[in-house]
Amino acid sequence: MKILVINCGSSSAKFQLFDIDTGAVLAKGNAERIGIDGKLTYKPAGKEDFVSTEPMPDHKVAVQMILDALVDKDHGVIADVSEIAAVGHRVLHGGKYYSESVIVDDDVKRIIRECFPLGPLHNPANLIGIEACEDVLPAGTPQVAVFDTAFHQTMPAKAYTYALPYELSEKYSIRRYGFHGTSHRYVSHRVADFLGKNYEDLKIITCHLGNGSSFAAVKDGKCQDTSMGLTPLAGICMGTRTGDIDPAIVPFLMKNENLSADEMDTLLNKKSGVEGVSGVSSDFRDLEKAANEGNERAQLALDMFAYQGKKIIGSYAAAMGGADVIVFTAGIGENTDKMRKAMCEGLEYMGVEFDDEANNGLRGKEAIISKPSSKVTVCVIPTNEELAIAQETERLVR
Ligand code: ADP
C-alpha cells in the first residue's frame, strides 16, 4: 500500500511517499515558496534528484506538481496517482476534539477550522493542504488527519487546567494541549517494542529535543502530562523560545519596552531561548562549539537547557510515582551525547545509572545508554514523524 504524507505550511508542502508494506520511502521533497514564485525539490529513491522552479501560485498547483513528479516517466516512482491509497496530513491542532487520528470528512474539516484561533499559523495551511489534495487526487482517495495534539488528550484535568478564571478558560478553550504528539506516541511505543516490554506496563518519560523541545509523561499506555501548553512556547527553553518564565515578565516588558502584543509575542517566540541567552545561535552545534572556545553565555544557555530538562524529568517521575524508561529523541536528543549526559547527571537518586561508554559518540541509532543494573532504562530512539503519520493513515484506511 502506498501512502503519501503531507505536512503543509503557509507557503510550503513537505511530502514523502511511503510503501507502507516495506516502510521504504519511494520519494520525498518539498514544495516551497507557494504563492511567491515556487520551488519544488523532489528526491526519488534510486533516481536523480529533480528541482523545478515552475510558478506555484497556490497549494492546489503545488500538490498537482508533486503528483506530476511522482508519476513522471523519467523521475517518477509510480505509474499512476490511483496507486496512492491514502494521504496522511500532519495537522497541528485538534483542540479538545481528537485524541486519535481521523479520516477527513466535512465534520473534521469544520473542527480543524474551529481550531484556527488555537493554531493560527498552522491549521489554516493544514486545511488548505487537505482541500488541495481533495481537488487534485482521484475522487474517494481517503485523507487522514494526524494531529500533533491528539496523543496528549488523555491528560487528566489537573494536568491540563490552568489556574485562570475558569469561565475564561472555557470561553477561549484555554488549557494545556501539548504538541509533538506524533513523535511522543511513536517513540514511546517504539521503545517498549525495542525493550521487549508491554507498553501499558511502563512509566515512560519521552524527551523530544529539537528546535522545539517537549517532554511527555506516559503511564498505563496514556499520556499523563506534557511540557508544552496552549501553544508550543511552554516548557523548557528552546532554540528561540523562552519556555516557561514568570508570566509577570510579559506585562513588565510590554510596559517598560513599550511593546505591542504582537511585538511581545515575537520576542517570546523568536528572539529568546538559547539564542537570546547566548547571543550566538539557536543551533546546538554552534553553541557547543562556542562554549568549547570559552564563550560563557553559550555555556550558560547549554547549562540552562540541561537543568530545565532535568527538572522536568524529575517532576514527571514524581507525577508518575517513578519512571522505568527515559527516551531521548529528535535533533538534539538523537545527536548530542553531552546534552543527554548533562540532563541525566544527578538523577542517580531516582535510579538512573548512566553508561558513558554506550552514550559517547552515539548518534541517530536506537540504543540503551544506561547500565544493565540501572533501575531506569535510558534510551535513544530516533523519531520518524512522517513514518508514524503513514502508519496511522494505513491503520485507519485498512
Ligand atoms: P525540528 O524538527 O524541531 O526543526 P530537529 O529535531 O531537526 O528540529 O532538531 C534540530 C536541532 O538539532 C538543531 O537546532 C541542532 O541544534 C540539533 N542538532 C542536530 N544535529 C546535531 C548534532 N550533530 N549535534 C548537536 N546538535 C544537533
Side-chain angles (χ1 to χ4, degrees):
M1 185 186 267
K2 305 209 169 65
I3 308 271
L4 180 63
V5 172
I6 293 200
N7 181 358
C8 229
S10 54
S11 67
S12 71
K14 292 196 192 112
F15 64 94
Q16 290 198 21
L17 181 68
F18 285 91
D19 180 342
I20 202 72
D21 305 312
T22 61
V25 177
L26 302 176
K28 63 179 177 181
N30 193 5
E32 294 168 274
R33 301 179 60 84
I34 301 169
I36 304 166
D37 40 23
K39 178 178 177 193
L40 173 70
T41 312
Y42 170 81
K43 299 173 186 242
K47 294 186 182 177
E48 280 213 4
D49 293 1
F50 164 80
V51 177
S52 158
T53 48
E54 293 282 308
M56 253 183 237
D58 57 35
H59 284 74
K60 197 169 146 184
V61 174
V63 172
Q64 186 64 59
M65 284 174 67
I66 293 170
L67 296 179
D68 289 346
L70 291 171
V71 299
D72 185 87
K73 64 176 173 20
D74 294 325
H75 44 256
V77 290
I78 50 175
D80 192 272
V81 288
S82 62
E83 285 182 47
I84 299 172
V87 186
H89 293 268
R90 180 180 197 170
V91 181
L92 181 80
H93 226 299
K96 63 182 177 196
Y97 302 101
Y98 295 115
S99 57
E100 290 284 346
S101 308
V102 281
I103 295 193
V104 175
D105 60 14
D106 286 345
D107 264 353
V108 174
K109 286 198 281 184
R110 182 177 53 76
I111 289 192
I112 294 174
R113 200 171 286 117
E114 212 174 294
C115 293
F116 279 6
L118 296 171
L121 297 179
H122 295 87
N123 268 39
N126 301 150
L127 186 61
I128 288 171
I130 290 172
E131 291 181 334
C133 286
E134 283 175 347
D135 285 345
V136 168
L137 276 156
T141 309
Q143 318 259 348
V144 170
V146 180
F147 299 96
D148 254 28
T149 51
F151 181 61
H152 307 300
Q153 275 298 304
T154 50
M155 284 187 291
K158 66 183 177 190
Y160 70 66
T161 308
Y162 290 121
L164 289 164
Y166 199 79
E167 302 69 31
L168 279 181
S169 296
E170 284 204 313
K171 181 175 174 188
Y172 294 106
S173 303
I174 297 173
R175 49 163 285 177
R176 183 186 300 282
Y177 289 102
F179 298 88
H180 295 138
T182 309
S183 175
H184 289 292
R185 189 196 299 271
Y186 176 83
V187 297
S188 59
H189 274 101
R190 184 67 213 125
V191 81
D193 285 351
F194 177 64
L195 297 174
K197 299 257 171 77
N198 189 8
Y199 186 57
E200 276 81 21
D201 296 339
L202 292 173
K203 294 172 187 157
I204 308 171
I205 300 172
T206 47
C207 314
H208 178 110
L209 311 179
N211 269 324
S213 296
S214 69
F215 295 69
V218 185
K219 186 184 171 193
D220 302 331
K222 290 196 183 108
C223 176
Q224 307 284 334
D225 207 342
T226 191
S227 59
M228 284 180 167
L230 172 72
T231 73
L233 179 59
I236 186 176
C237 61
M238 305 174 216
T240 60
R241 297 175 224 167
T242 54
D244 293 344
I245 56 169
D246 180 344
I249 294 168
V250 174
F252 177 90
L253 279 180
M254 287 176 77
K255 276 187 208 144
N256 287 292
E257 289 287 305
N258 206 11
L259 300 174
S260 68
D262 282 347
E263 287 166 336
M264 191 65 214
D265 193 62
T266 304
L267 184 147
L268 296 168
N269 274 291
K270 305 233 166 93
K271 297 186 179 165
S272 302
V274 292
E275 179 170 299
V277 171
S278 66
V280 172
S281 168
S282 64
D283 192 301
F284 279 64
R285 287 161 287 203
D286 300 339
L287 289 175
E288 283 185 356
K289 184 165 174 284
N292 286 339
E293 290 163 1
N295 185 316
E296 287 179 10
R297 271 168 52 193
Q299 188 59 54
L300 172 64
L302 291 169
D303 291 347
M304 286 169 63
F305 189 80
Y307 178 66
Q308 293 183 10
K310 192 200 315 273
K311 286 205 297 184
I312 293 177
I313 292 172
S315 72
Y316 285 177
M320 295 194 291
D324 301 308
V325 184
I326 298 171
V327 193
F328 287 101
T329 194
I332 300 162
E334 290 166 28
N335 292 300
T336 40
D337 48 7
K338 273 198 187 140
M339 185 50 69
R340 292 191 296 253
K341 181 178 162 70
M343 233 174 238
C344 289
E345 224 157 37
L347 295 182
E348 293 80 11
Y349 76 93
M350 59 176 261
V352 173
E353 289 178 59
F354 200 76
D355 184 345
D356 283 320
E357 216 170 295
N359 180 54
N360 285 349
L362 179 79
R363 290 178 58 171
K365 267 207 314 245
E366 293 186 345
I368 298 174
I369 54 169
S370 52
K371 296 200 171 130
S373 54
S374 184
K375 204 163 126 280
V376 182
T377 309
V378 185
C379 293
V380 175
I381 301 282
T383 193
N384 191 337
E385 286 167 286
E386 289 75 21
L387 177 62
I389 292 172
Q391 287 171 344
E392 283 282 289
T393 304
E394 184 215 13
R395 186 176 63 80
L396 282 171
V397 299
R398 275 217 201 268

